Amino acid sequence: MTGLPEAVGGGADAWRARGAAAALAAGRGLVIAPVSLLAGIPLLVAAALALGLMPITGGLLVPPVISAVRGLANWQRGIAGRWSGVEIESPYLPRAGRGRLRWLLGDPATWRDLLWLFTNVPIGLALGLLPVTLVGWGVVGVGSVPGLALSSDPFWPFGLGFGLPALALAPFVGPTLIRAQALWARALLAPTDVGERISTLTVTRERVSDDAESELRRIERDLHDGAQARLAAVGLSLGMAEDLVREKPDEAIALLTEAREHSGAALAELRSLVRGILPPVLAERGLGDALRALAYASPIPVEVRSDLTERLPAPRESALYFGIAEALANVLKHSGAARARIDVFRRDDQKAGEGCVVAEVWDDGTGGADLSRGDGLAGVRRRLAAFDGRLTLDSPAGGPTTVTLEVPCE
């Protein structure tokens, strides 16, 4: 006997949930439709005037209007995710030092926003009003039945014929229409593959440029504080020895000895500096032998396995070498590993007809490495990104750790 009340109660809950879904979709439609019309048309007119008057105004009106359009587009991206679960990422390119007008008008996403604004006036208005219309039609149709029946109106069954189907469909059709509006917005407001690639390359170019400037400053600092100072000391010692060679030969000999020591130290520093820019073994014998030389200098055993038969272009080979060197340096500094391994191999994508060189740096250390801590591997990732390469890290707590670097072959 308890099953019937429970079933009735469950059915009532289900109908209440459906009614709430229909009402919610109608309420959201009442937001989308007025915004599409009352914000869309004024912004379209303002955009047309701002762009059309550019020869006269010099583009002064464009930035505030485009900013307003982007604000409305971002609002649409937000409600699409919150109301319909349709996530729309921001597609806008970074400014990258360009003038504001050139940045806004040179971004393809700006013109896609304007196209969405134009098409969303009728589409947003229609898809926003339909859920409201469906619920209103159903409520009016069913609500009019008692009055029509009492007045002996022969057409009162038509109220049920139209009202009941409308109320029954509203919980299903209303949310679907709101989601359809979000999907239409995503078709125009989401990043395109080309846009994502341009954005990635723009950011990467900026970061690589910053890294190059930092590296140049480091080289200048090392030269100034190291080799240059030692060479200056050599010149000073030789000058003093020249003055003392006849009167005080012993002191002159001591100064010459000191000059020789300074010159040797300066030469060692210059060699180290040049090796940091481009190791001679890498330029002369390739990546495999350069990595073996790197492993030979390691205080822990490092196994190197490489099956490369062809050399990469020099910039990519250099980026991959220094990425591996940075990963190995992290192993020695932080992991507490007893051994490590470097695997380098070529991987071909038969479908795409492309290939890449993959390097894996593995160690048996404590793990727990994180790319967000420190700048070493983050800098390597930026350097590889300039060649459409990538760096991934797998380092669970307790180890082992694997750093994977990939660089396209061409």
Side-chain angles (χ1 to χ4, degrees):
M1 295 296 293
T2 60
L4 183 58
E6 291 176 357
V8 172
D13 290 340
W15 279 108
R16 278 195 294 270
R18 291 172 183 172
L24 187 60
R28 289 170 174 173
L30 281 175
V31 175
I32 292 173
V35 170
S36 300
L37 182 67
L38 300 179
I41 290 180
L43 280 178
L44 277 174
V45 173
L49 289 174
L51 294 172
L53 295 175
M54 276 184 61
I56 300 174
T57 63
L60 292 177
L61 300 177
V62 172
V65 172
I66 297 301
S67 296
V69 172
R70 287 190 173 188
L72 184 61
N74 284 329
W75 175 82
Q76 173 64 68
R77 294 183 183 98
I79 66 167
R82 292 192 300 272
W83 292 356
S84 304
V86 179
E87 298 297 332
I88 307 176
E89 297 182 3
S90 178
Y92 304 119
L93 298 179
R95 187 165 176 176
R98 292 177 290 176
R100 192 179 184 193
L101 184 63
R102 182 183 175 191
W103 165 52
L104 291 172
L105 296 183
D107 190 344
T110 296
W111 304 100
R112 290 168 62 86
D113 284 355
L114 292 173
L115 178 60
W116 165 79
L117 189 66
F118 176 75
T119 57
N120 191 57
V121 172
I123 292 176
L125 185 64
L127 295 180
L129 288 179
L130 282 175
V132 184
T133 304
L134 199 60
V135 172
W137 193 358
V139 170
V140 171
V142 174
S144 65
V145 169
L148 293 175
L150 291 175
S151 64
S152 301
D153 192 316
F155 294 101
W156 70 266
F158 287 98
L160 290 178
F162 287 104
L164 286 179
L167 287 179
L169 290 174
F172 307 100
V173 175
T176 301
L177 292 172
I178 299 300
R179 181 175 174 81
Q181 193 271 341
L183 291 172
W184 169 252
R186 185 174 68 179
L188 290 176
L189 297 181
T192 62
D193 292 340
V194 174
E196 287 183 347
R197 178 170 172 77
I198 292 174
S199 180
T200 300
L201 290 177
T202 302
V203 173
T204 300
R205 183 187 62 188
E206 288 183 338
R207 291 177 174 175
V208 169
S209 178
D210 292 341
D211 290 344
E213 290 181 4
S214 299
E215 184 67 11
L216 181 59
R217 286 193 295 269
R218 181 191 68 81
I219 293 172
E220 291 176 345
R221 184 177 61 251
D222 289 348
L223 283 173
H224 181 271
D225 297 340
Q228 181 177 330
R230 293 188 183 278
L231 290 174
V234 169
L236 182 61
S237 297
L238 290 175
M240 294 174 63
E242 184 180 4
D243 295 336
L244 296 174
V245 69
R246 292 185 178 85
E247 298 178 0
K248 298 179 181 180
D250 294 337
E251 293 184 15
I253 292 174
L255 289 171
L256 291 172
T257 302
E258 182 181 347
R260 184 181 62 186
E261 293 174 354
H262 280 302
S263 65
L267 182 61
E269 290 182 1
L270 287 173
R271 285 174 176 170
S272 176
L273 188 62
V274 171
R275 190 177 298 113
I277 299 172
L278 183 63
V281 66
L282 177 64
E284 296 171 4
R285 303 179 61 179
L287 183 62
D289 286 339
L291 294 177
R292 292 183 185 93
L294 194 66
Y296 181 77
S298 170
I300 65 171
V302 178
E303 180 185 2
V304 178
R305 298 187 299 197
S306 174
D307 61 1
L308 297 182
T309 57
E310 298 180 356
R311 297 190 60 173
L312 286 167
R316 301 186 184 208
E317 189 176 61
S318 176
L320 191 58
Y321 170 82
F322 283 110
I324 297 170
E326 179 64 31
L328 186 58
N330 285 346
V331 172
L332 301 178
K333 291 178 183 177
H334 308 297
S335 71
R339 60 191 179 93
R341 184 177 66 246
I342 301 173
D343 291 308
V344 184
F345 55 92
R346 179 183 173 112
R347 183 167 61 200
D348 292 314
D349 187 344
Q350 300 295 337
K351 293 182 179 179
E354 299 175 350
C356 65
V357 172
V358 181
E360 295 179 349
V361 182
W362 174 92
D363 71 79
D364 62 354
T366 56
D370 187 353
L371 282 174
S372 63
R373 297 200 302 265
D375 297 328
L377 290 180
V380 172
R381 172 181 277 182
R382 293 194 296 269
R383 186 169 182 175
L384 294 179
F387 305 102
D388 286 340
R390 62 176 181 169
L391 180 148
T392 55
L393 174 66
D394 180 19
S395 183
T401 295
T402 302
V403 179
T404 304
L405 307 94
E406 297 182 23
V407 175
C409 294
E410 298 179 357

